[in-house]
Amino acid sequence: MEATADAGEHVVGSGVLEDQQPPTTLVDWALRILSTADPDEKARLGDLAASLWLRGDIPLPYDPSRPARPPPERPARSAEVRLLPPSRMPKLGKGGSAQSRLAMLHSLAHTESWAVDLSWDIVARFGAQMRMPRGFFDDFARVAQDEGRHYTVLSARLRELGSRYGALPAHDGLWDSAMRTAHCLLARLAVEHCVHEARGLDVLPTTISRFRAGGDEQTAKLLEDIIYPEEVTHCAAGVRWFRFLCLRPYIDDPISYSVPQSEPHSPGLPGDGTADDEAVQEVRDEPTSVQQVEDELMTQQVECGLAQCKLGDRVDKDEAAVIQTFHRIVREYFRGPLKPPFNTEARKAAGFEPAWYEPLAVKEVHVEGDTDN
């Protein structure tokens, strides 16, 4: 799908709007990247934006003096990639033939290309709306940069093997899943950045073994040395910011999310795990200066650290409540149970302990007399 433009704007070949103002904040960059159709240019712009942000050349994550522009309903994507419904996708095989290994490699490149969009979408869609601290923008800029590098090396490997990204059909199941969580940061983190990222950790060792067994040591090493260790940090970011939202110390914040507690401690999660739209709009409408944003980001960093220090005796109880919230949200927004076997070691390295996911590997059993239909 090619990028769309408003009247009077010209779309260049990369999918970037030629008449756009140069990006000045990280959210501006995220929107520019999401409006770029060419996957190579998307990855290049993402690498540039993340580098500029992480070295301090982009001063603010968003500009509070301007109305926030929503991200596109669907990121601009290359029309060269033929899309099929997931149910009609050809089987990848197990890497026993060169054709099967090319199909596996193409599928990986497609996943990483979508991961670039998902990483910038969470920045553009939720960062300003939820007044997230600077560390959130740091983490997902790094994730986006990594995903762009993963796409680039896999796409280059396809060309080395005489193929290219777009030579085979693909599906957009990842984005379809993301749209079900477009209204709620907790749900987006739980499904896309915990469940799906961790699933990648589960299957990558087998994928690496299949390339190696088929004689493609070069692809196996790319996956083993570059992609696999970085994917652990991506899952860790999802877990970290899910936990942060649940334990967020801003009790008076109208869009604060907190874990459900038995005793008065915080206001508790909304019943369906979603943001209160009116409260979100109320926060958006508050006049905020650039200096206030800078001060708020610094204050959030300090208060977040203090909150972690103050957990003390509450840590086990708070963690149990966070996990309970995770279970409820995943059951609501993820279709079906999680599929074992799990890569317990990699998940643990990401801070994703078995208590988070093992209970989700079985279907819920509704007892007789349950009123749910």
Side-chain angles (χ1 to χ4, degrees):
M1 185 181 76
E2 295 295 337
T4 58
D6 294 330
E9 292 177 319
H10 174 63
V11 181
V12 297
S14 67
V16 179
L17 298 179
E18 193 176 63
D19 295 338
Q20 279 183 336
Q21 293 296 317
T24 57
T25 70
L26 189 64
V27 168
D28 289 340
W29 274 102
L31 292 168
R32 173 70 63 90
I33 294 159
L34 292 168
S35 298
T36 301
D38 180 80
D40 298 296
E41 180 68 1
K42 190 187 291 279
R44 187 193 70 80
L45 286 174
D47 180 67
L48 175 61
S51 296
L52 290 171
W53 169 258
L54 292 170
R55 69 176 182 235
D57 290 343
I58 301 173
L60 284 175
Y62 57 92
D63 184 349
S65 68
R66 301 197 319 253
R69 283 195 298 138
E73 284 297 313
R74 178 184 176 83
R77 301 287 298 178
S78 172
E80 295 184 7
V81 181
R82 184 166 62 95
L83 298 177
L84 294 176
S87 60
R88 291 179 52 200
M89 282 292 295
K91 298 293 185 183
L92 297 179
K94 297 184 178 181
S97 66
Q99 182 179 3
S100 174
R101 290 191 295 276
L102 274 179
M104 290 165 58
L105 187 57
H106 190 277
S107 177
L108 289 167
H110 182 67
T111 298
E112 297 294 349
S113 175
W114 264 120
V116 175
D117 279 325
L118 286 167
S119 302
W120 288 116
D121 183 80
I122 200 172
V123 168
R125 189 176 299 274
F126 297 109
Q129 180 193 80
M130 297 297 294
R131 301 284 177 84
M132 296 302 286
R134 188 175 292 273
F136 174 87
F137 296 96
D138 289 350
D139 273 359
F140 284 100
R142 289 191 187 97
V143 170
Q145 187 174 44
D146 290 348
E147 305 290 24
R149 181 169 55 254
H150 298 173
Y151 163 78
T152 299
V153 298
L154 293 172
S155 179
R157 182 63 182 145
L158 278 170
R159 291 192 294 272
E160 290 171 359
L161 295 172
S163 186
R164 61 179 175 81
Y165 177 54
L168 297 173
H171 70 82
D172 283 354
L174 268 180
W175 185 253
D176 294 340
S177 171
M179 284 299 88
R180 292 195 291 273
T181 61
H183 62 295
C184 178
L185 179 53
L186 266 181
R188 173 66 64 86
L189 287 165
V191 174
E192 302 300 330
H193 299 279
C194 293
V195 171
H196 285 161
E197 288 283 7
R199 180 61 180 163
L201 297 177
D202 296 339
V203 302
L204 259 177
T206 299
T207 303
I208 292 167
S209 297
R210 287 175 176 172
F211 278 106
R212 185 161 283 143
D216 189 351
E217 181 64 20
Q218 188 170 342
T219 301
K221 292 293 285 181
L222 284 177
L223 296 174
E224 191 170 59
D225 296 344
I226 299 175
I227 294 176
Y228 183 54
E230 290 180 346
E231 294 295 346
V232 173
T233 69
H234 301 174
C235 183
V239 173
R240 176 162 52 253
W241 292 105
F242 184 91
R243 183 183 284 114
F244 169 86
L245 280 179
C246 288
L247 299 176
R248 197 173 195 174
Y250 298 101
I251 297 174
D252 59 344
D253 184 341
I255 57 171
S256 173
Y257 289 104
S258 302
V259 296
Q261 313 253 345
S262 56
E263 67 270 16
H265 175 66
S266 57
L269 273 168
D272 61 354
T274 63
D276 182 320
D277 291 338
E278 292 182 2
V280 170
Q281 188 61 48
E282 181 180 318
V283 171
R284 281 179 178 164
D285 292 342
E286 290 177 359
T288 311
S289 69
V290 170
Q291 184 61 49
Q292 282 176 309
V293 171
E294 292 175 333
D295 293 344
E296 184 177 273
L297 288 169
M298 180 61 71
T299 301
Q300 285 187 6
Q301 298 286 66
V302 173
E303 290 188 1
C304 182
L306 290 173
Q308 291 175 358
C309 293
K310 292 176 181 177
L311 282 177
D313 294 338
R314 294 195 52 86
V315 64
D316 291 339
K317 187 178 295 185
D318 285 345
E319 183 70 1
V322 170
I323 292 170
Q324 179 186 359
T325 300
F326 180 79
H327 291 169
R328 179 170 57 79
I329 288 177
V330 172
R331 287 188 174 114
E332 182 173 354
Y333 291 99
F334 185 78
R335 294 175 178 172
L338 306 189
K339 295 179 181 178
F342 301 117
N343 185 342
T344 307
E345 182 179 354
R347 286 169 174 250
K348 184 174 183 179
F352 204 33
E353 298 287 349
W356 286 67
Y357 55 85
E358 284 186 346
L360 298 170
V362 295
K363 292 183 178 180
E364 283 189 288
V365 177
H366 293 282
V367 297
E368 187 176 351
D370 195 330
T371 58
D372 292 344
N373 293 323

